Amino acid sequence: MRRCAVTLLGQRARRRWLHLIVGGALFMPFWMVGSVVVGALLGAGGLFTGSLAVQFGAYAVGLPLVAVAALFPLARPMSVAAARALCGVPADRYADGPAQGPEARARTAGWFTLHLGAGALVSGATLALPPFAVSVMALPFSPALRESELGRLWGLDRPWWSWAALPAGLLMLLALAAAAAGTGALLALQAPRLLGPSPADRLAAAERRAAEAESRNRLARELHDSVGHALSAVTLQAGAARRVLDGGAGADLTFVREALTAIEETTRRTVGELDWVLGLLRQDEQAGEGGEAGEAREAGAGGPGPGPGLDALESLVRGAGPRVALTVSGDLAPVPEALSREAYRIVQEGLTNAARHAGGEPVSVRLDARTEEWEISMENPLPARPPVARPNGGRGLRGIGERARLLGGTAEAGPADGVWRLVVRIPR
């Protein structure tokens, strides 16, 4: 008994009943148009006529209009939102966004027609049957109701209604609840089939996930290059300054001052780069919440400015310490912004690797922009002891290779002629 009550009037059944009533409310404009058409054809007067022929004729005319309206892009997102909230079907079984392609539009039209058509019938019964059932159940207790004009119209003045009225009214209400629960269950069964993702939807979802993964990888590269370089440079400069100060009264305070200045410049520059990366992260989050934010990002409206480029290269090298030499051949002014940004990151990551493994040896950085193939090369003496290999390998050289490949170039790194050499070539 309790299970039957839950099935008919439980929370899920009530939510599905509400979903049907929403469908009935959405059907009303189509029914009114059908009433005008059918009323004009049959010569019936008034929009809300009591003629059953007009009402069911309006219903029959309204259903094709519903199917046509379902072809508009907003139909599926609106239907999915209502079904997710009220149908009791797992949210991941629905498609997102407007229907793409004839097959998806046809399924959306089928769902919209089924929802509004069934909802109109259940809503009409919900409005009409409970008052009638209550009136029937009140017959044994109200002689005035039995003798009223309405009672005679409905045939409630017959003597046998006096003892059959109460169970008949309860059965009417029970039948209404059963019809609503059964119709709601039917809609819930059909929802994944008619509103579920099509192959095109699955492909679009896979592309979105790939774009999100690429965005996360991009942010990870930016954070690794920026923060990793800053920590390595600051550690190197602080260690050198400490060793000089440990020398006692004869310490070279000029060197210590230069090291502290380099630390200050590095941290200040890194704070700006971190703000830029966090700005990218905020833009990605806004783009995930709505298409307008993504369009604003594409247009560059309201977002953070471009990251550091070759114009900040001298500051980067200066912050890496006095044993880093920079040589530039050619004019860097016409270098595109994207290439300038990536070149800065490549040099930054190369200096980070040198700071970790070169043991304070001199590092040379060369940029050659004189040919069609732009070249970045970095060299430092090989350390006396080879660096300890990390279990998963470093991300630095991998990130440099990824950046070079994204620009259609190549990256090579390894020992050569007694030095460690990194060479990146990028077509201009």
Side-chain angles (χ1 to χ4, degrees), residues 218-229 274 277-278:
R218 176 170 59 97
L219 293 174
R221 283 197 304 267
E222 297 291 344
L223 284 173
H224 173 266
D225 293 349
S226 177
V227 179
H229 168 77
L274 186 59
V277 174
L278 292 177

Side-chain angles (χ1 to χ4, degrees), residues 291-352:
E292 294 181 359
E295 293 172 3
R297 181 181 60 182
E298 293 292 333
L310 292 176
D311 54 343
L313 195 58
E314 290 186 4
S315 174
L316 174 67
V317 171
R318 190 166 55 248
R323 310 203 71 180
V324 179
L326 173 64
T327 303
V328 177
S329 302
D331 184 13
L332 301 182
V335 174
E337 182 180 293
L339 178 56
S340 176
R341 239 181 1 252
E342 296 303 316
Y344 176 91
R345 292 300 189 196
I346 288 171
V347 173
Q348 185 181 56
E349 185 54 40
L351 291 175
T352 301

Side-chain angles (χ1 to χ4, degrees), residues 102-120:
E103 186 263 345
R105 292 191 184 96
R107 289 193 293 121
T108 302
W111 166 264
F112 204 58
T113 305
L114 177 63
H115 177 207
L116 270 63

Side-chain angles (χ1 to χ4, degrees), residues 87-363:
C87 265
V89 177
D92 59 356
R93 302 191 65 183
Y94 294 103
D96 292 316
Q100 303 293 333
E103 186 263 345
R105 292 191 184 96
R107 289 193 293 121
T108 302
W111 166 264
F112 204 58
T113 305
L114 177 63
H115 177 207
L116 270 63
L121 296 177
V122 173
S123 298
T126 302
L127 290 174
L129 193 57
F132 180 75
V134 171
S135 300
V136 168
M137 288 188 291
L139 284 178
F141 315 102
S142 176
L145 180 61
R146 292 194 300 270
E147 297 171 0
S148 66
E149 183 178 352
L150 186 62
R152 289 194 298 271
L153 176 64
W154 287 351
L156 303 181
D157 55 343
R158 297 174 183 175
W160 57 271
W161 268 113
S162 299
W163 58 269
L166 192 59
L170 291 174
L171 284 175
M172 292 178 194
L173 295 177
L174 184 62
L176 174 62
T183 307
L186 173 64
L187 285 180
L189 180 64
Q190 297 300 322
R193 299 180 184 177
L194 299 178
L195 294 179
S198 64
D201 295 321
R202 294 188 180 94
L203 179 59
E207 291 175 347
R208 285 195 300 271
R209 288 193 295 270
E212 291 170 0
E214 172 58 28
S215 177
R216 287 194 296 270
N217 291 337
R218 176 170 59 97
L219 293 174
R221 283 197 304 267
E222 297 291 344
L223 284 173
H224 173 266
D225 293 349
S226 177
V227 179
H229 168 77
L231 292 176
S232 298
V234 166
T235 301
L236 182 63
Q237 296 290 347
R242 178 185 56 78
R243 285 192 295 271
V244 170
L245 289 176
D246 287 343
D252 186 357
L253 295 182
T254 301
F255 178 85
V256 174
R257 189 177 296 108
E258 290 178 354
L260 293 176
T261 301
I263 290 174
E264 181 183 1
E265 289 184 358
T266 300
T267 52
R268 183 182 295 115
R269 184 184 65 252
T270 304
V271 168
E273 294 179 13
L274 186 59
D275 286 342
W276 177 73
V277 174
L278 292 177
L280 288 178
L281 180 60
R282 283 192 293 270
Q283 282 187 340
D284 286 344
E285 290 176 348
Q286 292 170 359
E289 294 172 0
E292 294 181 359
E295 293 172 3
R297 181 181 60 182
E298 293 292 333
L310 292 176
D311 54 343
L313 195 58
E314 290 186 4
S315 174
L316 174 67
V317 171
R318 190 166 55 248
R323 310 203 71 180
V324 179
L326 173 64
T327 303
V328 177
S329 302
D331 184 13
L332 301 182
V335 174
E337 182 180 293
L339 178 56
S340 176
R341 239 181 1 252
E342 296 303 316
Y344 176 91
R345 292 300 189 196
I346 288 171
V347 173
Q348 185 181 56
E349 185 54 40
L351 291 175
T352 301
N353 286 341
R356 288 174 179 166
H357 305 307
E361 296 293 333
V363 179

